[in-house]
C-alpha cells in the first residue's frame, strides 16, 4: 500500500492501519506538508525505518510503530515529534538498539519492550502511567529518579541486565504492577509498602535477592500475583500471606525456604481463599504435606468450566507466570482464571498423600515428585477430572496404581517412575 497517497488527504488527523497484514510503501525522500495528525497507528505494517513524514508532526498525541522491522538507533529527530503533546508511544517489538533519553514532557504510556536497547535505563516524564522496557539489554542500576514518577502504575523492567540494589522508594509509588524479573538485582528487598497501596502484581523472579519475604506485603490487600522464584531468599514459609484474600498466584520456587509448613495460622477463616497457582518447588521444606492448606484451596474446586474464559490482568498489563508443565519450563504470557497448578516437587516432604487432595477437581497440574512421600497412591486422585499432568516420581510409594486414574480423560503426562540410582536427588537442582 502506498502511504504517500494517504498523506495527500489534507484533513486527515487519525490514521490507523495496524494489524491488517499490510506492507506500506513510503517514499522517505519526500516530506509531507501534512502537519495536523493527532493519532498514527502503523503497527505490524512491515516497516523497516521510521517514516520521514513524522518529522513534521509537532502536535502528535499517539504514535504506534510496534511489531515492525525497524533497526538501529532511534533517530534524534524523533525527539522533536510531539515533544510537548505526545502522550502514547509504542515502538515495541522492533530491533532498536539505542534510545538516548525520553524527552517528551507529557508522556503517559510508553512501551519499548522486546527490542535490543542497550545502555542505562532511560527515565520518562513525571506524568507517566505505564512504562515497559522489558526484554531488552538495558544495564546498570535503577536510578532513584524513577521514584519521582508519582503517577506511575505499571513498571516493567523484566528480562534485562539491570543490577545493584532495588531502590527502597519504589514501595512509595502508586504501583499496580512492579515487574523486575530476570535481571541481576542483589541484596535484600527492603521496599516498604504502605497501607492503602494498589499493588496487584509483584514479580522479582530470576534475580539474586537474599533475606526474607518483606512483611510489609501484608499491606498489599489487592495483591493477586507474587512471584519470588529463583532467588536466594532464606526464610520459612510466609504463613501471613494467607490473609491476602485476592492472592491467586504464589511462586516461591528455587530459593532457600526451609522448615515445616504446618497448618494455617488464621483462625476461623479460609487461608488463601483465591489461590489457584502455588509453586514452592526446589526448596528445603520438611515435614508432612500441608494438608490443612490443600483441602481448603477453594479456588481449585468446582470451577465452572462453562464460564467465559478470562485472563488475569488489567487494561494496560496482562499477568504472566513461568511453571513446569509436562517436563518443560513454560511461560504462560497470559493466565486463564481457570488455570490451577500445585507444584511441591524437589523438597523433603514426608508422609502420605491424604485423600482430601481429590477435592481439588479443577487442578490442571499436580507435581509432588522428588520428595520422601510413602504409602499408597490415593484413589481420590481419580476425581481430578481436569488433570493434565500428574508427577509423583522419585518417592517411596507402594502398592498398585489406582484404576481410577483411567478416568482422567485430559491426562497427558503421568510419571510414577523411580529416579535411577546413578543420579542424585538434590532439591537445589534447577528444573
Amino acid at each position: 500500500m502506498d502511504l504517500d497517497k494517504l498523506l495527500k488527504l489534507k484533513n486527515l488527523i487519525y490514521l490507523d492501519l495496524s494489524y491488517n497484514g499490510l506492507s506500506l510503501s513510503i517514499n522517505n525522500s519526500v516530506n509531507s506538508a501534512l502537519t495536523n495528525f493527532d493519532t498514527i497507528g502503523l503497527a505490524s505494517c512491515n516497516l523497516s525505518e521510521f517514516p520521514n513524514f513524522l518529522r513534521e508532526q509537532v502536535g502528535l498525541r499517539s504514535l504506534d510503530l510496534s511489531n515492525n522491522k525497524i533497526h538501529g538507533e532511534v533517530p534524534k529527530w524523533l525527539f522533536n515529534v510531539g515533544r510537548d503533546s505526545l502522550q502514547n508511544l509504542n515502538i515495541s517489538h522492533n530491533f532498536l538498539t539505542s534510545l538516548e533519553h525520553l524527552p517528551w514532557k507529557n508522556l503517559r504510556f510508553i512501551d519499548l519492550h522486546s527490542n535490543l536497547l542497550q545502555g542505562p535505563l532511560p527515565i520518562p516524564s513525571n506524568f507517566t502511567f505505564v512504562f515497559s522496557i522489558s526484554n531488552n539489554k538495558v544495564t546498570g542500576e535503577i536510578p532513584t529518579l524513577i521514584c519521582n514518577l508519582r503517577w506511575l502504575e505499571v513498571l516493567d523492567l523484566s528480562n534485562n541486565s539491570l543490577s545493584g540494589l532495588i531502590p527502597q522508594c519504589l514501595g512509595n509509588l502508586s504501583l499496580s504492577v512492579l515487574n523486575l524479573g530476570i535481571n541481576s538485582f542483589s541484596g535484600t528487598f527492603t521496599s516498604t509498602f504502605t497501607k492503602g497501596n494498589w499493588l496487584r502484581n509483584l514479580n522479582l523472579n530470576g534475580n539474586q535477592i537474599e533475606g526474607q519475604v518483606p512483611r510489609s506485603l501484608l499491606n498489599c490487600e489487592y495483591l493477586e500475583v507474587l512471584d519470588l522464584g529463583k532467588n536466594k531468599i532464606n526464610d520459612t514459609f510466609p504463613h501471613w500471606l494467607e490473609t491476602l484474600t485476592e492472592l491467586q498466584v504464589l511462586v516461591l520456587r528455587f530459593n532457600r525456604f526451609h522448615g515445616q509448613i504446618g497448618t494455617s495460622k488464621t483462625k476461623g477463616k479460609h487461608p488463601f481463599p483465591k489461590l489457584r497457582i502455588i509453586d514452592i518447588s526446589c526448596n528445603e521444606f520438611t515435614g508432612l504435606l500441608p494438608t490443612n492448606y490443600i483441602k481448603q484451596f477453594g479456588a481449585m474446586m468446582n470451577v465452572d468450566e462453562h464460564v467465559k474464559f478470562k485472563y488475569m490482568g488489567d487494561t494496560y498489563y496482562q499477568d504472566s507466570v513461568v511453571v513446569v508443565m509436562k517436563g518443560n519450563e513454560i511461560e504462560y504470557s497470559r493466565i486463564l482464571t481457570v488455570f490451577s497448578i500445585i507444584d511441591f516437587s524437589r523438597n523433603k516432604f514426608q508422609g502420605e498423600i491424604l485423600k482430601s487432595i481429590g477435592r481439588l477437581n479443577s487442578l490442571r497440574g499436580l507435581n509432588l515428585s522428588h520428595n520422601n512421600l510413602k504409602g499408597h497412591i490415593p484413589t481420590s486422585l481419580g476425581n481430578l477430572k481436569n488433570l493434565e499432568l500428574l508427577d509423583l516420581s522419585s518417592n517411596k510409594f507402594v502398592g498398585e496404581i489406582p484404576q481410577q486414574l483411567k478416568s482422567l480423560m485430559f491426562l497427558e503426562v503421568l510419571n510414577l517412575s523411580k529416579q535411577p540410582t546413578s543420579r542424585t536427588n538434590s532439591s537445589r537442582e534447577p528444573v
Side-chain angles (χ1 to χ4, degrees), residues 107-110 123-132 145-157 170 172-178 198:
L107 209 56
R108 304 288 196 272
F109 176 100
I110 179 164
I123 302 298
S125 78
N126 291 348
F127 299 103
T128 302
F129 293 156
V130 177
F131 181 32
S132 175
L145 281 175
I146 203 167
C147 295
N148 293 333
L149 278 59
R150 62 185 184 276
W151 302 109
L152 196 62
E153 296 179 9
V154 175
L155 178 61
D156 189 351
L157 310 181
L170 287 178
N172 299 327
L173 296 178
S174 301
L175 290 171
S176 170
V177 175
L178 175 58
W198 296 95

Side-chain angles (χ1 to χ4, degrees), residues 51-216:
N52 208 39
F53 78 93
L54 291 176
R55 290 175 180 262
E56 302 175 32
Q57 307 309 315
V58 293
L60 194 65
R61 290 201 303 171
S62 179
L63 176 62
D64 186 353
L65 300 177
S66 62
N67 288 277
N68 281 293
K69 302 175 182 178
I70 306 175
H71 288 72
E73 298 182 2
V74 175
K76 291 181 173 59
W77 59 259
L78 191 69
F79 298 152
N80 293 317
V81 174
R83 191 181 186 99
D84 297 323
S85 59
L86 196 66
Q87 296 182 12
N88 303 311
L89 175 64
N90 189 347
I91 51 177
S92 65
H93 287 285
N94 280 287
F95 300 91
L96 301 170
T97 58
S98 176
L99 177 62
E100 289 184 357
H101 59 123
L102 299 169
W104 296 278
K105 299 178 182 179
N106 294 296
L107 209 56
R108 304 288 196 272
F109 176 100
I110 179 164
D111 193 346
L112 308 174
H113 85 274
S114 299
N115 276 286
L116 303 172
L117 295 173
Q118 304 177 31
L121 181 69
I123 302 298
S125 78
N126 291 348
F127 299 103
T128 302
F129 293 156
V130 177
F131 181 32
S132 175
I133 194 172
S134 62
N135 293 288
N136 278 284
K137 299 181 179 180
V138 180
T139 56
E141 301 185 359
I142 299 178
T144 54
L145 281 175
I146 203 167
C147 295
N148 293 333
L149 278 59
R150 62 185 184 276
W151 302 109
L152 196 62
E153 296 179 9
V154 175
L155 178 61
D156 189 351
L157 310 181
S158 61
N159 285 277
N160 278 287
S161 298
L162 293 164
S163 57
L165 302 177
I166 298 174
Q168 186 173 358
C169 57
L170 287 178
N172 299 327
L173 296 178
S174 301
L175 290 171
S176 170
V177 175
L178 175 58
N179 190 345
L180 305 179
I182 320 299
N183 280 286
S184 298
F185 294 114
S186 58
T188 57
F189 181 63
T190 57
S191 294
T192 301
F193 298 100
T194 56
K195 288 186 176 181
N197 72 79
W198 296 95
L199 191 65
R200 191 187 59 75
N201 184 320
L202 175 60
N203 189 336
L204 304 179
N205 189 298
N207 284 284
Q208 301 174 36
I209 297 170
E210 302 175 288
Q212 298 180 325
V213 182
R215 298 279 296 201
S216 65

Side-chain angles (χ1 to χ4, degrees), residues 289-346:
L289 288 174
T291 306
N292 185 260
Y293 280 118
I294 292 173
K295 67 183 181 182
Q296 297 189 72
F297 285 156
M300 303 183 193
M301 304 176 191
N302 303 317
V303 174
D304 186 357
E305 297 295 334
H306 300 290
V307 299
K308 184 178 179 181
F309 283 168
K310 296 181 180 180
Y311 293 99
M312 293 183 63
D314 49 35
T315 305
Y316 302 114
Y317 187 88
Q318 289 190 317
D319 301 323
S320 62
V321 68
V322 175
V323 297
V324 176
M325 282 287 286
K326 303 167 189 176
N328 298 306
E329 192 175 78
I330 301 174
E331 179 179 6
Y332 288 86
S333 57
R334 296 189 295 176
I335 308 174
L336 274 171
T337 52
V338 296
F339 190 61
S340 300
I341 290 179
I342 290 178
D343 192 343
F344 290 173
S345 64
R346 295 181 184 270

